[in-house]
Amino acid sequence: MNWLFNDIEDIIDMRYKKRFDLIKKLVGSRIIDILLFLPSYTVRKKYISSPSTKNVNEIIATKVKPLYIETGRSKAYPTKVTCLAGEIYVQLIFFNKFRLGYINSFIRNVQEIIVCGKLTKPPDKELQFVHPEIITNLNMWKDDEKADNVYPLITGVDIYFLKSVIKNALLRMENAKILEWIPQDILEKNNWVSFKKSVEMVHNPKNVDDTTLEGVYVQRLCFDECLAEQIAKKISNMGETHDGYPIKNEKVLYKKLIEKLTFNLTEDQISVLNSIEEDMASGKRRMSRLLQGDVGSGKTIVALLAATIVIESGYQVALLAPTEILARQHYELFLKLLDGIGINISILTSFEKGKKRTAILENLVNGTTNIIVGTHAIISESVTFCNLGFVIVDEQHRFGVNQRLMLINKGKTNPHILSMTATPIPRTLILSVHGDIDVSTIKMKPAGRTEIITTTVPMDKIFNVITSIRRIIEKGEKVYWVCPLIEESEKLDYTCVINRYNFLYEIFQDDVIMMHGRMKEAERREIFDSFREGTKHILVSTTIIEIGVDIPNATVIVIENAEKFGLSQLHQLRGRVGRSNLKSFCVLLYDKKISNIQRERLDIIRRSTDGFYIADQDLLIRGAGEVLGTKQSGFKKYKTFDIDDIEHKETIYRIMSESAQMVSKIVDFSKYDYLLKIFILENFEDMKQSF
């Protein structure tokens, strides 16, 4: 099985040497990475012997006889291949001299070909296929219909090249023996086949569902990846093997920070700090603690106070945040709180470049920087610490095991770890989600926070909401307007950000702004700053604002299609307001055609602002899937599924739960080395020595 981890270059013809770096950028560097590079979706292509205008806008395949080529004068002009399909003429259109040598070769060397693609009919022109797939082997198409995969691509890697690499990898796997790691009873219960067969079928599907979580093949691979992550969590949380080091001092920096605070710590915050201090002072083992607290409960100040103790003992601190906006928010808060205390803090995201980035990295190496706040940029190989002693992971569920391990292993000793989450998890799920880990909870909120008033409003009353918003922005306060989708979907009847932005712009003009996950980080940052700093008062967004965003004068959040969200996610979104002493509101817009369960969920969120109560009710109503919720992470965490897949979230969390149950019964983890290498890290064996 070691061949799975060979360099992908082993299966690519040397003629394509210039594309080695591009294919690695797209799929990864190992053969197993191309095998697990799953299609975005699968389409049904009908074979039509004689296409006509009836087939316009359909994805079809048809046999054509190439007649002649028209080459444009420059790259701005397309290459046109005129063909005869049955008794009518069709044109194949290729832009940017696309594969011109290949086009010439099939014109000269074959009498007939099969073309696959979307048939179009521009005004006053022949029927056309734009960039169709070309099949020169007529025997490859034997059925009336065929399932064909659509893969994500990048510039320089076309579908033909990608599929040829996948085909080479599948041929290498054809006669290879891959050991089974899932017990037979689990395979039979779910109608799953082997890992090898699942990979083969995903790349050569018979049906459209074969490449989604509706099908058993992707389900099997999803289980494998969840199993690998759960095993990695179990290994990394085995406290007995985590040699620790004591951190104990006079807490001079801690006391200076306490004196600067304009509020008193709650009893819960003091209790958590005592637990953290005891863990780090004992030296018996490295601290690995999960801090869960409701939105606005004060987890960040607890983490910062703990960091001062570590810094006073001569160690550095790293805070890992899932988004650039949240990282910069932490950085600005820390700068304000630590001013004059004698602690140096830096930030590292994808925006810090050139001389500025070089200076930040140098200060980490020489120990000048005491705290580094950043996104996954601080995980990169170029980042080296002088003496990393404490790792804080904010919204830890947004990061894979791999990312957390890479940061932790930058410490010369075993750094103490504090993971934080604002998504309360019922006790019955903590072990299955987080493994063997100490858990602290903050329930009390800081003094001065007002209760958020939550109302449910049917969609046909939206103009009543608009009227109320006018009064809010006249007072200088701000409004979030959240929609579940970025753009319209044929499958999901949800309101999208783009349509709602256009609607609100007609009313509020330049006072409204839009933000979503497909925008570049720089653009999102500029938009968010204009909202936060006062020039814009209404932000229309997806759930990208769900985590950590803190704007004290944002007092209203409108959530459209509220019935489509899980309770925990609704509660997280509601937590973006009510972060000051200003009266705050959460408006849940819903479709009148809702189920009893959806109505019950909205009633729970309307009645209660207690995140722990809401999490327990969520578990009772919908099970573990809804409790864990769906997240927009900004980068894909898994190879075999998308954690943001709303359509299949129940399947995802059923599989996650099942894999956790299997891990709880495993005694000998050495049997799963290959599984860990496939999904976690090629050098996982080396990394786990540090635990």
Side-chain angles (χ1 to χ4, degrees), residues 201-213:
M201 293 305 299
V202 164
H203 291 296
N204 295 292
K206 302 296 183 187
N207 301 293
V208 171
D209 287 344
D210 286 349
T211 56
T212 74
L213 279 163

Side-chain angles (χ1 to χ4, degrees), residues 163-440:
K163 285 188 175 182
S164 71
V165 179
I166 292 171
K167 182 180 178 181
N168 290 343
L170 291 172
L171 287 172
R172 178 73 69 92
M173 187 174 67
E174 199 170 82
N175 297 317
K177 183 178 181 181
I178 298 179
L179 300 176
E180 182 57 73
W181 44 73
I182 298 181
Q184 190 63 30
D185 60 325
I186 294 179
L187 293 175
E188 292 177 357
K189 172 188 169 186
N190 294 285
N191 295 317
W192 292 340
V193 294
S194 68
F195 175 83
K196 178 179 172 181
K197 183 67 173 177
S198 296
V199 171
E200 290 173 350
M201 293 305 299
V202 164
H203 291 296
N204 295 292
K206 302 296 183 187
N207 301 293
V208 171
D209 287 344
D210 286 349
T211 56
T212 74
L213 279 163
E214 300 285 343
V216 294
Y217 308 120
V218 178
Q219 284 181 19
R220 155 73 207 243
L221 298 177
C222 175
F223 183 88
D224 290 327
E225 186 162 16
C226 292
L227 180 64
E229 182 172 55
Q230 291 290 343
I231 291 173
K233 284 178 182 176
K234 187 75 172 179
I235 292 172
S236 66
N237 290 332
M238 286 178 176
E240 291 73 19
T241 64
H242 298 174
D243 295 330
Y245 53 93
I247 290 183
K248 196 171 185 178
N249 51 58
E250 297 300 316
K251 296 170 60 178
V252 175
L253 297 176
Y254 180 99
K255 292 170 185 174
K256 285 183 178 180
L257 179 54
I258 288 288
E259 288 174 3
K260 288 195 68 175
L261 298 180
T262 57
F263 53 87
N264 294 323
L265 297 178
T266 65
E267 290 180 13
D268 284 353
Q269 288 173 313
I270 294 170
S271 175
V272 171
L273 280 164
N274 289 338
S275 298
I276 291 173
E277 193 175 348
E278 283 178 22
D279 281 356
M280 294 194 298
S282 72
K284 293 179 182 178
R285 65 183 179 97
R286 183 195 67 192
M287 180 186 75
S288 182
R289 183 170 290 275
L290 171 69
L291 173 56
Q292 60 172 356
D294 212 344
V295 286
S297 61
K299 297 180 295 298
T300 304
I301 191 62
V302 167
L304 183 57
L305 283 163
T308 63
I309 302 173
V310 177
I311 292 166
E312 192 167 326
S313 290
Y315 295 97
Q316 292 169 299
V317 175
L319 188 152
L320 179 62
T323 65
E324 192 270 340
I325 288 174
L326 182 54
R328 203 159 295 279
Q329 189 169 272
H330 282 318
Y331 173 68
E332 290 170 359
L333 175 65
F334 288 5
L335 276 179
K336 179 181 176 182
L337 292 175
L338 298 175
D339 183 38
I341 290 180
I343 292 176
N344 295 321
I345 179 171
S346 297
I347 184 169
L348 185 62
T349 70
S350 59
F351 289 98
E352 281 65 46
K353 295 177 180 178
K355 292 181 179 179
K356 185 176 181 181
R357 178 183 172 86
T358 301
I360 292 169
L361 297 181
E362 287 176 356
N363 288 336
L364 279 175
V365 173
N366 62 35
T368 303
T369 295
N370 304 119
I371 301 178
I372 185 75
V373 177
T375 57
H376 52 282
I378 65 176
I379 300 172
S380 63
E381 290 183 14
S382 60
V383 177
T384 304
F385 290 83
C386 173
N387 196 10
L388 179 62
F390 188 33
V391 172
I392 304 166
V393 183
D394 196 10
E395 297 304 333
Q396 59 83 38
H397 56 279
R398 294 296 186 99
F399 298 96
V401 172
N402 185 6
Q403 281 116 3
R404 295 195 292 269
L405 291 180
M406 288 175 70
L407 179 56
I408 291 164
N409 277 272
K410 289 182 180 290
K412 294 176 183 177
T413 55
N414 290 328
H416 296 291
I417 307 164
L418 180 67
S419 300
M420 301 192 297
T421 180
T423 305
I425 301 171
R427 265 285 171 190
T428 52
L429 286 183
I430 282 179
L431 279 177
S432 66
V433 176
H434 296 287
D436 183 18
I437 191 172
D438 295 322
V439 179
S440 292

Side-chain angles (χ1 to χ4, degrees), residues 35-55:
L35 289 170
L36 291 173
F37 187 69
L38 305 191
S40 302
Y41 57 92
T42 301
V43 295
R44 298 293 302 181
K45 292 182 177 178
K46 296 189 294 184
Y47 183 82
I48 305 293
S49 58
S50 184
S52 67
T53 53
K54 292 188 301 182
N55 306 115

Side-chain angles (χ1 to χ4, degrees), residues 85-142:
E87 297 180 354
I88 66 167
Y89 291 99
V90 297
Q91 285 188 328
L92 314 183
I93 308 297
F94 299 93
F95 289 94
N96 298 325
K97 304 287 186 181
F98 183 81
R99 296 173 63 85
L100 186 55
Y102 179 65
I103 295 169
N104 274 311
S105 70
F106 74 66
I107 287 290
R108 289 195 305 266
N109 300 325
V110 299
Q111 293 295 314
E112 290 182 313
I113 57 173
I114 292 175
V115 294
C116 304
K118 187 175 182 179
L119 186 67
T120 60
K121 177 69 170 69
D124 303 321
K125 291 187 178 180
E126 306 285 354
L127 291 168
Q128 292 182 352
F129 290 95
V130 178
H131 284 275
E133 181 182 355
I134 307 297
I135 299 174
T136 55
N137 182 355
L138 303 186
N139 293 323
M140 286 183 64
W141 201 291
K142 298 178 180 179

Side-chain angles (χ1 to χ4, degrees), residues 623-686:
E626 281 297 334
V627 170
L628 297 177
T630 55
K631 308 291 177 186
Q632 287 192 349
S633 59
F635 58 92
K636 190 172 181 180
K637 176 180 169 183
Y638 298 99
K639 292 178 181 289
T640 59
F641 64 98
D642 183 354
I643 197 67
D644 298 326
D645 185 350
I646 295 175
E647 188 178 356
H648 299 109
K649 64 180 178 179
E650 293 299 330
T651 301
I652 291 170
Y653 290 111
R654 173 180 62 80
I655 289 172
M656 281 185 166
S657 178
E658 222 173 312
S659 65
Q661 291 174 24
M662 178 177 162
V663 170
S664 68
K665 300 174 184 177
I666 296 175
V667 177
D668 182 7
F669 290 103
S670 64
K671 297 178 181 179
Y672 300 90
D673 286 355
Y674 278 107
L675 177 66
L676 293 173
K677 287 181 181 180
I678 288 171
F679 287 104
I680 306 298
L681 273 180
E682 187 172 1
N683 62 339
F684 187 84
E685 281 301 314
D686 295 332

